[in-house]
Amino acid sequence: NRYPKHIFFIVGNEFCERFSYYGMRSVLLLYLRDYLHWDDDTSTSVYHAFTVLAYLFPLLGAIVADSYWGKYKTIIYLSIVYVFGHIVKTIGSIPYVPSQVAHAVLSMFGLFFIAVGTGGIKPCVSSFGGDQFKPGQSYIRKQFFSLFYFAINAGSLISTFVTPIFRADVDCYPNETAPEFDQCFALAFGVPGALMVVALILFIAGTRWYTIYPPEGSIITKFCMCIYTACRNRWNTPKQERNKEHWLEYADSPPKLIRDTKYVLRVLVLYIPLPFFWALFDQQGSRWTLQAIQTNGYLGSLLIKPDQVEVLNPLLIVTLIPLFEATLYPFLRYFNIPFPPLRRMTVGLILAGCSFIAAAILQIEIDKTLTPLPKSFEFGVRFINSAPCNVTFTPSNTALPPIPVGPDQVRVVHPSIEQLLYIKLAVSTNTIYFYHHTASAEFTYLTCNGDVRSISTTGAKEQQRDLVIRVTSVERGRLPPRTTDVAYSNRSDSIDIGYGLATIEAYNKATIGNDTSTEGSGGGGDVALYSTQLYLDVGGVYSIVYDGLGAGYTNLDLNPNTVNVAWMIPQFLIITVGEVFLSVTGLEFSYTQAPPSMKSVLTSIWLFTVSLGNIIVLIIAEAKGIEKQSDEFFLFAGLIFVAALLFIFLAYRWVDIESEDIELPDYSVVVKNGEKINGDAINGDV
């Protein structure tokens, strides 16, 4: 019963691979949204399309491993594909790639290869680890699977927390000021790619000690052929001659395979509602990440990034599973309260729906504080009045009322395309002239309530200058001052700064150039043309209008986030408890109700339900028929409650199979160190 030491190469491989997968996926949605500039629905669709492929390719990987390459070669070959996908994906996220189309194309190809790699090796690694144990080592084999499951969650937990830090807090391009250099997605994708290289090296390092089973034909293929020939033969049999007890008995397959297929199909009927659970569960990395963007991420002085919120799931998983095993289940057994597997799975479905009700209620509260945005058939128009008097903008279409704008104010409206053809300007009880600058710098006047602002020829020339904007955060002084240029009669790029009191200064670029390093000034001892202090809240978007004459004012374009990210904890807690009840219990139940030869089939189909669940999200996201995110959350909650009712009906009709009625696995040939030996086929434990 000596524990095989080379098993730690496999555990280390799984830790690094899961770090690679979850680390890349944790920042994927923000990459699609913020870097490729796709809208929320498109980003969500691509995110879930990738997940569909990642959970669809395990079927292909299992078939290839069992029929052609064997598990060892399948893991090696598809890990190379996996690494290649990471390389392509990382290159696609480097800002120096010249074309936005190239970024998108490289990213999509990279995601495809990653999906092939992670999906293809998924059904092979755990079962290959189980192959390393000899007959009579069932106890330490179970210890291995516990360790293996811990490695999965540890890799997920660490990468989900660390990778967003690489994205947001590491300055990969210190001399670049363009917006595409603000976040370091190349590092956020590159580190998981490097971990996948380590995973491959670790796996190869243990080769000389591995026990390797040769491919003996895919049970998945045999399973599918059994069903296919049964349907075909029964269809071709005249109705008056259809006298067999079960339709599978028409198959051109051995009796044992037909019998095992019957057992599997019984379990698969219970799987019908499960895709709806995964449809909700996998939105933790998409819709819930988008929800986290709309919250205040500060817990005291600690900033929780939107793509770090997902860390709650693996953190709660590694806490709740041993906690339930030590407290909840013994408590229920002590008081003779029945909580069998099917009842647990039903509760898991219901809890997933409850988590989305909690998410919807939170979204309603968030929406109350957000700045209204244009709907799909509208657009936004911003009217800025920098004059010291009231003005009114009158649309040519009378369906839209006049738009008054007070002195030093900004007014935003969301008219439809049909409503707003063009706008005429009228001055309320005053006369106004807009000054402009021509090549000869002619001067004009602005008259408002007797206040005359004259701009002489010299003044006009003086005003035609580019500025350097310098922003310093007082409360977060550890951050260096942020600077950006703004051309004459234009606006600057966005400046991202931490929350708290900030000082904003404008300097004449022609005087100081790009040097803004001198403390208390814009650099070179130059005096600021304009200076103001502003308290910045989390998530707020501000515009500062400078009139070129030493005056300016501030407008709040988008309201700050006032709902704290901590309010998302309940929905994560509820859905994670649901995962413990459904996912962990469901796999255990499925294994006890299917013959050993079919356990790999059940594993593949279980993963396939995850793929189907993400297809449901794809359909709803691409339909774009729901304006409010809270309504979409309520829709998903309603769908899974219907699925729970169906599951209750199926569970009520279920009859357990006794374990002794299921045949034990056969012996097969094993290859170790190039020599054939007899060994126990352990598919039933994997």
Side-chain angles (χ1 to χ4, degrees), residues 3-14 144 147 202 210:
Y3 205 91
K5 297 298 187 292
H6 56 276
I7 210 70
F8 292 101
F9 290 110
I10 299 173
V11 173
N13 166 271
E14 185 65 11
F144 158 72
L147 182 62
L202 277 174
Y210 291 148

Side-chain angles (χ1 to χ4, degrees), residues 38 53 180 195 222 281 286 293 302 322 343 383 482 552 567:
W38 293 347
L53 293 177
E180 59 267 25
L195 263 291
K222 295 174 183 178
F281 182 82
S286 57
I293 293 174
L302 177 65
R343 190 169 298 177
F383 300 92
R482 307 293 179 92
W567 287 106

Side-chain angles (χ1 to χ4, degrees), residues 393-653:
F393 296 91
T394 305
S396 61
N397 190 326
T398 57
L400 192 68
I403 305 165
V405 186
D408 293 340
Q409 288 186 354
V410 175
R411 181 81 182 274
V412 179
V413 297
H414 298 152
S416 65
I417 297 175
E418 293 79 12
Q419 286 179 316
L420 191 58
L421 300 179
Y422 63 91
I423 293 176
K424 295 183 294 183
L425 173 65
V427 180
S428 303
T429 67
N430 298 284
T431 303
I432 183 170
Y433 300 94
F434 282 92
Y435 59 82
H436 64 282
H437 303 292
T438 63
S440 59
E442 297 175 355
F443 63 88
T444 56
Y445 294 95
L446 178 83
T447 306
C448 211
N449 284 338
D451 177 18
V452 180
R453 293 187 181 186
S454 62
I455 305 171
S456 65
T457 303
T458 304
K461 287 182 178 179
E462 177 67 21
Q463 195 173 344
Q464 294 186 48
R465 55 188 169 190
D466 294 342
L467 303 177
V468 172
I469 307 299
R470 183 174 189 262
V471 182
T472 306
S473 177
V474 176
E475 292 191 19
R476 300 189 71 201
R478 63 185 181 83
L479 293 177
R482 307 293 179 92
T483 62
T484 187
D485 294 351
V486 53
Y488 169 70
S489 296
N490 208 330
R491 75 172 187 175
S492 71
D493 294 327
S494 63
I495 304 173
D496 295 328
I497 196 72
Y499 75 94
L501 189 63
T503 300
I504 299 97
E505 300 167 315
Y507 297 92
N508 186 352
K509 184 178 180 180
T511 304
I512 67 172
N514 289 316
D515 179 16
T516 59
S517 59
T518 303
E519 288 294 327
S521 71
D526 198 19
V527 178
L529 301 174
Y530 171 74
S531 178
T532 188
Q533 283 194 325
L534 180 65
Y535 191 88
L536 305 175
D537 286 319
V538 177
V541 177
Y542 305 83
S543 287
I544 299 175
V545 179
Y546 172 61
D547 66 2
L549 300 172
Y553 65 94
T554 302
N555 179 72
L556 179 60
D557 298 337
L558 295 179
N559 295 334
N561 302 330
T562 58
V563 178
N564 196 272
V565 70
W567 287 106
M568 296 188 70
I569 295 176
Q571 65 201 56
F572 274 95
L573 176 61
I574 295 170
I575 201 169
T576 305
V577 174
E579 180 192 4
V580 173
F581 286 156
L582 185 136
S583 181
V584 178
T585 304
L587 276 174
E588 176 187 349
F589 170 79
S590 301
Y591 280 10
T592 63
Q593 297 298 303
S597 64
M598 288 290 177
K599 295 189 188 297
S600 60
V601 174
L602 274 177
T603 301
S604 298
I605 297 177
W606 178 275
L607 296 174
F608 183 64
T609 64
V610 181
S611 186
L612 292 177
N614 282 270
I615 290 175
I616 294 172
V617 182
L618 265 173
I619 294 171
I620 294 177
E622 282 301 304
K624 300 182 180 179
I626 304 175
E627 290 289 345
K628 294 183 178 179
Q629 185 58 56
S630 57
D631 292 341
E632 184 178 288
F633 287 153
F634 280 126
L635 171 63
F636 278 107
L639 288 175
I640 201 167
F641 287 145
V642 173
L645 290 175
L646 175 59
F647 190 83
I648 291 171
F649 172 76
L650 296 173
Y652 180 77
R653 296 165 56 90

Side-chain angles (χ1 to χ4, degrees), residues 167-182:
R167 171 191 64 82
D169 295 343
V170 178
D171 186 6
C172 299
Y173 317 101
N175 297 320
E176 303 288 353
T177 58
E180 59 267 25
F181 296 98
D182 288 346

Side-chain angles (χ1 to χ4, degrees), residues 288-341:
W288 286 13
T289 298
L290 293 174
Q291 186 180 58
I293 293 174
Q294 300 173 325
T295 64
N296 185 328
Y298 280 97
L299 299 176
S301 60
L302 177 65
L303 173 63
I304 305 298
K305 299 172 179 59
D307 39 355
Q308 281 182 321
V309 175
E310 277 188 274
V311 78
L312 285 171
N313 178 253
L315 182 62
L316 289 170
I317 276 287
V318 298
T319 304
L320 291 178
I321 289 180
L323 180 64
F324 284 0
E325 291 290 343
T327 59
L328 177 62
Y329 299 144
F331 174 83
L332 295 175
R333 286 194 297 268
Y334 181 80
F335 288 98
N336 294 321
I337 301 175
F339 199 34

Side-chain angles (χ1 to χ4, degrees), residues 68-81:
Y68 303 102
W69 294 342
K71 296 169 190 171
Y72 174 78
K73 289 183 178 179
T74 301
I75 295 170
I76 295 292
Y77 296 158
L78 292 185
S79 292
I80 295 173
V81 174

Side-chain angles (χ1 to χ4, degrees), residues 3 7 11 126 129-130 133 140-148:
Y3 205 91
I7 210 70
V11 173
S126 61
F133 296 90
I140 60 175
R141 185 188 301 143
K142 289 180 180 178
Q143 288 182 333
F144 158 72
F145 284 114
S146 297
L147 182 62
F148 189 85

